[in-house]
Amino acid sequence: TLFRSTVRIGTTGAISERFQPGDLIIPVAAIRADGTSDCYVDKSFPAVADRMVVNALCEACERLGYRYGTGIMYSPSSLYIGQGRKISENGFWPSRSEHLIEDLRQARVTNIDTDSAGHFIVGYLHEMRSASILAVITNRITGEWATDKTGEDRACRAACEAMKILKEWDEHPSRYSIRRNRTVKGDRSHEHRKQKSRDQFSGFGKA
């Protein structure tokens, strides 16, 4: 089933202080504000990444030593108004955009990317395993910007490594079962694994 697995490699803007430029975000789900996915399913249908591919991407980042995190992201179809950014200082600016970022942060949304929601929906409907790995190029809250393409390079390497991991798991399903139970190789304690799980799903990854 490897040829039916897809990973979107892209960039994203973080709206949580937990992420810095150069970090990687692996979204587990997306808020559908893209419009494209509405052509396929009802608005209430969730856009969820494939769990196995998400786990493979997390495992890839662990193996490579990359700083990463998981979270729920917002996926609009607009680069400006739909992301709470003005096109010009005195141009069109609807009131709903004024508090968009604040409202998303209240809902513990981690980042913004325009493509992942549609990617998850179309992949699911066509029985494909789909996920995304996104390099943080800016943090909308702190105002920090990436100064090089280290994040994008890491996202590409992690996606390639994840495909190798998926191949391993497809050929040896028991290895994936071990990963799901978090009984990983090495001498890690049960408490360490529990803390690692909490950290990842709070938006933290390996330093």
Side-chain angles (χ1 to χ4, degrees):
T1 56
L2 185 61
F3 74 98
R4 297 192 66 82
S5 303
T6 65
V7 174
R8 163 168 159 67
I9 304 168
T11 58
T12 189
I15 56 173
S16 166
E17 293 95 335
R18 296 192 300 263
F19 294 101
Q20 305 167 6
D23 290 348
L24 301 176
I25 299 180
I26 303 165
V28 297
I31 298 172
R32 290 173 49 208
D34 60 309
T36 298
S37 61
D38 294 346
C39 298
Y40 292 84
V41 290
D42 184 79
K43 194 68 176 176
S44 61
F45 195 95
V48 181
D50 181 85
R51 180 181 177 184
M52 192 170 186
V53 183
V54 167
N55 284 346
L57 288 166
C58 291
E59 179 69 15
C61 289
E62 288 285 334
R63 292 184 184 183
L64 295 169
Y66 293 161
R67 180 181 161 93
Y68 73 101
T70 58
I72 295 175
M73 56 161 292
Y74 181 67
S75 193
S77 56
S78 164
L79 291 173
Y80 290 95
I81 298 297
Q83 295 190 28
R85 291 192 290 207
K86 292 183 177 181
I87 297 176
S88 63
E89 189 59 35
N90 298 315
F92 175 70
W93 184 240
S95 58
R96 67 177 181 274
S97 296
E98 188 69 40
H99 302 290
L100 175 64
I101 301 300
E102 179 184 344
D103 292 345
L104 291 173
R105 282 168 52 79
Q106 284 288 328
R108 298 177 61 200
V109 174
T110 53
N111 61 297
I112 300 174
D113 157 60
T114 58
D115 301 313
S116 290
H119 176 64
F120 296 165
I121 291 292
V122 174
Y124 180 81
L125 295 178
H126 290 278
E127 299 183 22
M128 301 178 74
R129 302 185 303 194
S130 301
S132 294
I133 184 164
L134 308 170
V136 176
I137 58 171
T138 184
N139 186 302
R140 296 280 300 275
I141 308 306
T142 65
E144 295 177 276
W145 283 85
T147 57
D148 56 34
K149 294 187 177 181
T150 299
E152 290 98 313
D153 291 342
R154 289 177 175 175
C156 291
R157 290 192 177 96
C160 291
E161 183 68 20
M163 286 298 175
K164 290 165 58 179
I165 293 168
L166 284 170
K167 187 173 186 294
E168 292 174 17
W169 290 348
D170 286 342
E171 294 175 349
H172 306 281
S174 62
R175 295 182 184 177
Y176 179 58
S177 297
I178 291 174
R179 170 62 178 150
R180 288 179 66 187
N181 292 329
R182 300 192 181 279
T183 312
V184 295
K185 283 185 178 180
D187 214 3
R188 297 185 178 183
S189 68
H190 177 61
E191 277 304 311
H192 176 86
R193 293 195 300 271
K194 282 170 61 181
Q195 183 60 48
K196 178 179 170 185
S197 176
R198 286 195 295 267
D199 286 348
Q200 287 181 2
F201 285 91
S202 296
F204 288 100
K206 190 166 183 176

